[in-house]
Amino acid sequence: MANLTSVSGFLLMGFSADRKLQILHALLFLVTYLLALTGNLLIITITTLDHRLHSPMYYFLKHLSLLDLCFISVTVPQSITNSLMNNGYISLGQCILQVFFFIALASSEVAILTVMSYDRYVAICQPLQYETIMDPCACRHAVIAVWVAGGLSGLMHAAVNFSIPLCGERVIHQFFCDVPQVLKLACSYEFINEIAVAAFTTSTAFICLISIVLSYIRIFSEVLRIPSAEGRTKVFSTCLPHLFVVTFFLSAAGFEFLRPPSESQSAMDLMFSIFYTVIPPTLNPVIYSLRNEAMKAALRKILSKEEFP
């Protein structure tokens, strides 16, 4: 396998070499993947069929669910297959595509979360101008920009990462082609281009984070001035799920990509990779549905087979 990977691909070490643990990992990932597919497809279906949810907030939520659906499909099915087949081999082409789609979708997710925070800011702090600012044309342009920006980011990382000469055995201590793990295989003197791309991507993500923080500072300062407890509860029910998703995704991803690289991969490293690759796409539908009365009402209509207006 070492000779094979040195020529044509990589060896993904995954979570364990023990056969029973590999089967357990495959089953757990399969259940998680099915839950993520079901939850995100439900949100896409509900926000498409129910015309009462054809507002900018739910339009962006539908695209977040679509991103989550694609994001978890990049890594988890491959990992399940590798565990069931007891074979961690992944070809060079598959690894390049995995890096491209992983970075593209992760970047798009950060961008759509930023757009969603701005949408909540305009809705709460500038309600009289909301329909003018967040008109359908502006929303479509924002979503197009999100997908294009993510695609360009993925293209830059994939092109730069796999143009670097690799030294030594092509063994990746991860369950997917993770960029930091791929860079560990690179020759030390060829890092400058990837450092430049990573610095640009990190700076862009930091700007998005600052925008989200500033939006929520303004939102919470406005909410505290609402006299009725019912009004504050309604605002928090739409803002807190989004804030939790942003915090969880960015903190886990930031820890993984900004920490100093280590020679050996620990169980904690694998757990953190799960925190930003598997858990967010699975939890997002639950988080957005449980605290949103409109989503729960639409979900009840689907389960009771009622017609949407």
Side-chain angles (χ1 to χ4, degrees), residues 15 54 59-60 150 161 165 200 212 288:
F15 293 92
H54 286 187
Y59 178 69
F60 296 136
N161 276 326
F200 173 77
I212 293 169
Y288 280 106

Side-chain angles (χ1 to χ4, degrees), residues 24-71:
L24 178 62
H25 152 251
L27 292 176
L28 290 175
F29 263 33
L30 179 61
V31 171
T32 306
Y33 183 61
L34 292 177
L35 288 174
L37 285 182
T38 304
N40 286 294
L41 283 174
L42 270 176
I43 287 184
I44 293 171
T45 303
I46 289 170
T47 53
T48 301
L49 295 180
D50 194 338
H51 292 279
R52 292 172 301 181
L53 301 181
H54 286 187
S55 65
M57 182 177 77
Y58 296 106
Y59 178 69
F60 296 136
L61 178 58
K62 176 167 67 175
H63 281 274
L64 176 64
S65 294
L66 181 59
L67 282 168
D68 282 335
L69 198 63
C70 298
F71 186 61

Side-chain angles (χ1 to χ4, degrees), residues 8-10 78 88-97 162 177:
S8 58
F10 300 88
Q78 176 77 47
Y89 173 75
I90 182 170
S91 69
L92 177 61
Q94 287 175 309
C95 194
I96 293 173
L97 287 175
F162 293 97
C177 282

Side-chain angles (χ1 to χ4, degrees), residues 156-178:
M156 284 192 300
H157 275 277
V160 171
N161 276 326
F162 293 97
S163 65
I164 298 174
L166 303 180
C167 300
E169 294 183 350
R170 298 188 181 186
V171 177
I172 298 177
H173 294 276
Q174 193 52 276
F175 65 92
F176 66 102
C177 282
D178 195 17

Side-chain angles (χ1 to χ4, degrees), residues 81-126:
T81 303
N82 289 349
S83 294
L84 291 177
M85 301 297 292
N86 193 24
N87 181 7
Y89 173 75
I90 182 170
S91 69
L92 177 61
Q94 287 175 309
C95 194
I96 293 173
L97 287 175
Q98 201 171 64
V99 167
F100 166 74
F101 283 111
F102 182 83
I103 296 295
L105 293 168
S107 302
S108 296
E109 185 140 346
V110 173
I112 196 73
L113 290 172
T114 307
V115 172
M116 291 173 74
S117 68
Y118 178 73
D119 170 70
R120 291 299 83 209
Y121 160 74
V122 176
I124 294 167
C125 299
Q126 302 179 31

